[in-house]
Amino acid sequence: MTSAARLRIVYLAGAGRSGSTLLARLLGEIPGFLNIGEAVAHVTNQTSVRRDVPCGCGEPLERCPFWAPLVASIDVDARREASNLIRLRSLPVLLSPLKRRRTRRLIERLAVSVRDLLTAAAERSDSQVIVDSSKNPAVGYVLSQIPEFDLEVVHLVRDSRGFASSRAKPKDYLKSFSPLKAASVWTALNLGTELLRLRTGKLIRVRYEDLVLDPRSTLGMLAERITGANVDLDFVGQNAATVGVQHIVAGNPDKFSSGSISIAHRSWTLPPSHKMLVSSVTSPLLLKYGYFRSTDQPSTS
């Protein structure tokens, strides 16, 4: 990246287990793109650090050849102070123009730390576009406070019933959710993303079901919206893609695989009572996103 170029940041927002790891990995294979997983959450929230999940290369962050020299420069005092602020429940406070002076100063410190980390990551990888999949709208707000970046928020949505089905099963270090908790988390994160849109003024919405049914078209649309040009997508086919090892912070355990990965069509199921509960709780946003009836669509998670 040249010093004159403005760094583009693609922030994947929405609920986890909705294909964000898949989408981020696909974007990370595009020339000039760097997928960093949930690195911004690692900078802004102490909870992300406590999970101590290895990098996508398999090494702990402090021993990863890419991240080790970068994470050492993070303002850990600011992160520790911000851990109770940079949360979804604090989004109304963050978006409000009536913040306390201490809160404003803390956000400014975090923004500087994030700016320096992502700029260094871009220079180290010679990338023009950084893809972060932290998803939390409160973390996305911090990114929106960095004037040196061109921010694109990609809102990845999935049928709430499919999300609840996926979250009903634990996956390595990712815990399971009850149907009610899944419905509540899905609603909160997607509604929070709608509020984030008020701050950023723009948002690209992608449905998970469209991504898995036609990954090449969906990825091509996104890449063109982000870069303004057609890009080489030879690594992606109709039902599979070829991806290399990527230095992904936190995220889904699928990040550890490389080579040819399947974009499989696997149906999800929920007991009727659970399906009714999730549908009832999430119905307003389901209608907004075009899920007029259960999609029962294939899943990669």
Side-chain angles (χ1 to χ4, degrees), residues 22 238-242 254 257 259-266 299-300:
L22 171 64
Q238 184 60 37
N239 302 115
T242 302
D254 291 344
S257 63
S260 179
I261 62 170
S262 174
I263 305 176
H265 288 187
R266 297 197 300 266
S299 160
T300 60

Side-chain angles (χ1 to χ4, degrees), residues 95-130:
L95 294 175
S96 171
L98 304 176
K99 289 185 281 291
R100 293 186 302 172
R101 181 178 299 178
R102 179 180 178 277
T103 299
R104 291 181 183 275
R105 289 178 176 172
L106 181 55
I107 292 170
E108 289 171 1
R109 284 180 64 188
L110 287 174
V112 169
S113 188
V114 171
R115 181 200 65 193
D116 292 349
L117 179 76
L118 299 193
T119 300
E123 292 175 348
R124 190 171 178 83
S125 60
D126 195 25
S127 301
Q128 295 79 47
V129 182
I130 299 286

Side-chain angles (χ1 to χ4, degrees), residues 25-223:
R25 295 179 78 199
L26 294 177
L27 287 169
E29 288 301 314
I30 297 174
F33 282 58
L34 174 67
N35 171 27
I36 59 174
E38 300 176 10
V40 178
H42 190 85
V43 175
T44 58
N45 197 316
Q46 193 70 18
T47 303
S48 174
V49 181
R50 291 196 188 107
R51 292 173 62 192
D52 196 26
V53 178
C55 173
C57 69
E59 292 287 341
L61 288 184
E62 63 271 15
R63 294 207 300 269
C64 168
F66 182 83
W67 284 113
L70 301 181
V71 297
S73 65
I74 292 174
D75 187 341
V76 293
D77 291 332
R79 178 174 61 195
R80 189 177 301 109
E81 292 178 36
S83 290
N84 289 324
L85 176 65
I86 309 302
R87 294 187 177 187
L88 182 58
R89 67 190 181 197
S90 301
L91 187 61
V93 173
L94 295 172
L95 294 175
S96 171
L98 304 176
K99 289 185 281 291
R100 293 186 302 172
R101 181 178 299 178
R102 179 180 178 277
T103 299
R104 291 181 183 275
R105 289 178 176 172
L106 181 55
I107 292 170
E108 289 171 1
R109 284 180 64 188
L110 287 174
V112 169
S113 188
V114 171
R115 181 200 65 193
D116 292 349
L117 179 76
L118 299 193
T119 300
E123 292 175 348
R124 190 171 178 83
S125 60
D126 195 25
S127 301
Q128 295 79 47
V129 182
I130 299 286
V131 181
D132 184 276
S133 56
S134 295
K135 293 176 283 295
N136 184 345
V139 177
Y141 170 79
V142 175
L143 278 170
S144 75
Q145 299 303 293
I146 306 175
E148 294 89 346
F149 292 166
D150 289 331
L151 176 64
E152 290 282 359
V153 178
V154 176
H155 184 191
L156 185 62
V157 298
R158 180 183 186 179
D159 188 315
S160 58
R161 282 73 57 103
F163 170 78
S165 176
S166 178
R167 293 261 35 176
K169 304 177 288 289
K171 189 172 186 179
D172 199 346
Y173 46 79
L174 300 178
K175 298 179 180 179
S176 61
F177 284 177
S178 70
L180 181 58
K181 181 173 182 179
S184 300
V185 168
W186 185 93
T187 299
L189 285 167
N190 285 300
L191 185 59
T193 302
E194 298 292 345
L195 293 176
L196 178 62
R197 184 180 189 176
L198 300 178
R199 175 63 182 82
T200 62
K202 56 184 178 179
L203 180 145
I204 305 172
R205 184 171 293 119
V206 174
R207 297 206 325 173
Y208 167 79
E209 292 78 13
D210 297 329
L211 173 64
V212 296
L213 287 176
D214 193 351
R216 191 180 181 91
S217 293
T218 302
L219 194 64
M221 176 277 294
L222 270 178

